[in-house]
Amino acid sequence: MSRKQKKKKRFRLDIAIIIGLLIMLISFGTYMVHTSLEDVLEAEYGQPIVTHDYGSSQE
């Protein structure tokens, strides 16, 4: 019984790390779903980038 009384609530580092990783994973997934590659490349280089060309493969 004295052991239960001595036990304190302590900060659980492992749970905090797991929650932090879940938040980062959800944020990254949301960013990837709502952002297209063309938008990112155009913002990075300042001009439209051709990522695929359907015309040459049809000939």
Side-chain angles (χ1 to χ4, degrees), residues 5 10 16 22-23 25 28-30 46-47 49 54 59:
Q5 291 174 350
R10 58 183 177 164
L22 283 174
I23 291 171
L25 182 65
F28 179 73
T30 304
Q47 59 187 356
I49 305 294
Y54 293 117
E59 293 179 28

Side-chain angles (χ1 to χ4, degrees), residues 2-48:
S2 64
R3 185 175 184 186
K4 286 183 180 180
Q5 291 174 350
K6 289 183 179 180
K7 191 172 184 180
K8 297 179 187 177
K9 286 192 172 193
R10 58 183 177 164
F11 181 70
R12 297 283 310 258
L13 184 62
D14 54 344
I15 293 176
I17 290 173
I18 290 171
I19 290 173
L21 288 174
L22 283 174
I23 291 171
M24 285 177 37
L25 182 65
I26 290 169
S27 300
F28 179 73
T30 304
Y31 172 76
M32 293 302 288
V33 167
H34 294 292
T35 306
S36 69
L37 177 62
E38 289 83 8
D39 293 340
V40 173
L41 290 176
E42 187 173 344
E44 183 73 25
Y45 293 106
Q47 59 187 356

